[in-house]
């Protein structure tokens, strides 16, 4: 494969995202929606005979930080630069006993508590919604975090500069810009869905609070690395397996204008491409997302209704880059043989790669229990069949 590569990783990603043809399809692994669960990663390390002290990237999803040896083995073209909590935030995990069971609890900056049972340790789920019983007057007094605290961004320019000057890789931010989902995290999903019908003024007020946080956040973040980064990742899940999770009318009237303002704000601060994550069947919303100004769709959940790769590429491939969609992560990657993995990847690459506009990755994170030989087959197939 190496003798066919004529571009650096950065050139390859930039070319693909500009809908031009690179030397091969770019590959990603290691982000917050393109990553690997720590248990799957431990199995992969053992399978390949690689030693690494596992570092957790995201405690909620229990994602590991892949080591350079793994990234190089799989031809990964992207490296990540992430902001962090401010100095005033102590986001440590506490162990607490409830009902005779040991739990790992994490309170995030918005006051949402995420919990994981010690006897499972697969992921964290929400155990406390701080605004569950609030009314609109309470929002003025609630201690929302400050997006413009400069200590969030300590060291990020130095890291981005080092990657830009000393490595050949494309640079992406971690995920952010979660304008919509944070609202139901704080309110509770059932209560939020009732609010969307009975109390839309509360929804708008809370959305304005989360939008203000992200506007301030990206103003400072892009001041630090906007000239160095290739991709800015934002996202809100809008859909499930069969279609929108909530009323498209509510989305277009209330959520979309705020998302659009954020995207346009980020674009005023950087020339980086805007990557948007939403799981599920999102065909009803792709036109809206393009209107908002996004450049890239992730994770391209090909198993969801209406998300046929051929139709997506034919309809949107000239305007939208696809990042993901490599394999059916629900039904194929965990259960198929390595040979079947290879053929599945070959078929999807034949659809997605023509004309550029495609970055290879699994549909969302590689979950615990996925056989390591299947992970190897996934990325080896990308290298084998990804050449132009």
């Amino acid at each position: 494969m190496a003798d066919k590569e004529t571009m650096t990783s950065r050139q390859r990603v930039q070319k693909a995202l500009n809908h031009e043809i690179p030397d091969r399809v770019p590959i990603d692994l290691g982000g917050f929606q393109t990553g690997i669960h720590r248990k799957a990663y431990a199995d992969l390390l053992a399978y390949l005979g690689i030693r690494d002290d596992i570092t957790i990237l995201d405690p909620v999803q229990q994602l590991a930080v892949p080591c350079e040896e793994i990234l190089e083995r799989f031809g990964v073209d992207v490296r990540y630069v992430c902001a962090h909590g401010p100095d005033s935030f102590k986001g440590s995990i506490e162990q607490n006993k409830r009902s005779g069971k040991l739990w790992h609890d994490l309170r995030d900056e918005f006051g949402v508590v995420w919990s994981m049972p010690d006897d499972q340790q697969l992921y964290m789920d929400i155990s406390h919604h701080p605004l569950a019983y609030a009314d609109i007057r309470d929002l003025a007094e609630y201690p929302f975090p400050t997006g413009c605290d400069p200590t969030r961004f300590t060291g990020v320019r130095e890291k981005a500069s080092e990657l830009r000057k000393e490595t050949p890789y494309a640079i992406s931010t971690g995920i952010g810009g979660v304008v919509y989902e944070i609202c139901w995290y704080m309110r509770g999903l059932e209560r939020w869905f009732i609010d969307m019908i009975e109390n839309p003024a509360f929804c708008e007020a809370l959305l304005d609070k989360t939008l203000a946080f992200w506007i301030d956040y990206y103003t400072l973040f892009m001041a630090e690395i906007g000239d160095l980064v290739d991709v800015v990742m934002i996202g809100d899940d809008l859909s499930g397996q069969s279609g929108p999770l909530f009323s498209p009318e509510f989305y277009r009237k209330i959520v979309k204008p705020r998302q659009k303002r954020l995207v346009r704000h980020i674009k005023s601060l950087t020339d980086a491409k805007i990557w948007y994550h939403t799981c599920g069947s999102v065909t009803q919303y792709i036109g809206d997302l393009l209107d908002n100004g996004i450049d890239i769709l992730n994770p391209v959940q090909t198993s969801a209704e209406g998300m046929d790769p051929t139709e997506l590429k034919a309809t949107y491939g000239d305007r939208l880059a696809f990042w993901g969609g490599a394999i059916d992560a629900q039904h194929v990657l965990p259960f198929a043989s390595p040979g079947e993995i290879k053929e599945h990847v070959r078929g999807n690459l034949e659809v997605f790669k023509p004309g550029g506009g495609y970055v290879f990755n699994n549909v969302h994170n590689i979950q615990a229990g996925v056989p390591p030989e299947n992970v190897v087959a996934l990325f080896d197939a990308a290298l084998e069949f990804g050449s132009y």
Side-chain angles (χ1 to χ4, degrees), residues 66-129:
C67 67
E68 278 299 310
E69 189 171 354
I70 290 286
L71 297 178
E72 291 172 10
R73 165 69 177 77
F74 291 154
V76 175
D77 295 294
V78 183
R79 298 297 185 269
Y80 285 85
V81 176
C82 303
H84 43 74
D87 289 350
S88 60
F89 174 66
K90 308 303 178 188
S92 58
I93 296 175
E94 297 181 353
Q95 292 189 1
N96 297 299
K97 279 193 172 182
R98 293 190 294 276
S99 302
K101 181 180 285 192
L102 182 64
W103 292 83
H104 301 255
D105 297 328
L106 171 66
R107 184 181 298 272
D108 70 21
E109 286 189 74
F110 288 84
V112 178
V113 178
W114 302 80
S115 299
M116 176 177 66
D118 187 70
D119 59 0
Q120 176 216 69
Q121 296 203 29
L122 290 175
Y123 54 85
M124 290 182 157
D125 207 348
I126 299 175
S127 61
H128 174 67
H129 306 283

Side-chain angles (χ1 to χ4, degrees), residues 292-360:
N292 287 352
I294 73 155
D295 304 292
I296 306 160
L297 180 67
N298 167 270
V300 197
Q301 190 179 336
T302 56
S303 61
E305 186 175 319
M307 295 291 285
D308 176 71
T310 301
E311 290 295 323
L312 290 172
K313 185 72 173 182
T315 306
Y316 301 105
D318 59 336
R319 293 169 286 161
L320 185 65
F322 299 102
W323 191 305
I327 196 164
D328 183 336
Q330 293 173 288
H331 310 101
V332 179
L333 183 61
F335 307 117
S337 69
E340 290 168 331
I341 301 290
K342 178 178 176 178
E343 291 307 308
H344 196 101
V345 169
R346 185 211 296 263
N348 280 349
L349 280 174
E350 286 177 354
V351 173
F352 279 123
K353 80 177 189 180
Y358 183 62
V359 177
F360 182 93

Side-chain angles (χ1 to χ4, degrees), residues 179-241:
V179 173
Y180 170 80
E181 281 192 81
I182 287 177
C183 293
W184 75 254
Y185 295 170
M186 299 180 77
R187 185 65 159 164
L189 188 59
E190 182 177 347
R191 181 68 257 175
W192 177 258
F193 273 32
I194 293 171
D195 288 336
M196 286 194 287
I197 297 171
E198 296 183 350
N199 193 8
F202 181 93
C203 296
E204 293 199 68
L206 186 50
L207 283 161
D208 285 340
K209 291 286 188 179
T210 58
L211 174 62
F213 171 85
W214 290 115
I215 291 286
D216 289 346
Y217 176 98
Y218 281 106
T219 299
L220 266 66
F221 198 13
M222 292 301 101
E224 293 291 327
I225 66 167
D227 60 325
L228 300 172
V229 71
D230 299 293
V231 178
V232 175
M233 295 187 167
I234 66 172
D236 278 307
D237 280 335
L238 302 177
S239 294
Q241 295 279 111

Side-chain angles (χ1 to χ4, degrees), residues 216-293:
D216 289 346
Y217 176 98
Y218 281 106
T219 299
L220 266 66
F221 198 13
M222 292 301 101
E224 293 291 327
I225 66 167
D227 60 325
L228 300 172
V229 71
D230 299 293
V231 178
V232 175
M233 295 187 167
I234 66 172
D236 278 307
D237 280 335
L238 302 177
S239 294
Q241 295 279 111
S242 58
L245 289 169
F246 58 97
S247 163
E249 180 182 2
F250 184 92
Y251 172 75
R252 293 186 175 112
K253 181 180 179 181
I254 293 177
V255 178
K256 177 182 173 178
R258 292 162 171 88
Q259 288 187 333
K260 187 171 186 176
R261 182 181 165 195
L262 177 63
V263 172
R264 298 304 168 96
H265 179 68
I266 296 171
K267 285 201 160 190
S268 75
L269 303 171
T270 179
D271 292 328
K273 302 293 187 183
I274 307 299
W275 178 103
Y276 185 89
H277 169 86
T278 174
C279 294
S281 172
V282 296
T283 52
Q284 289 192 47
Y285 288 136
I286 291 177
D288 296 291
L289 298 174
L290 286 167
D291 180 63
N292 287 352

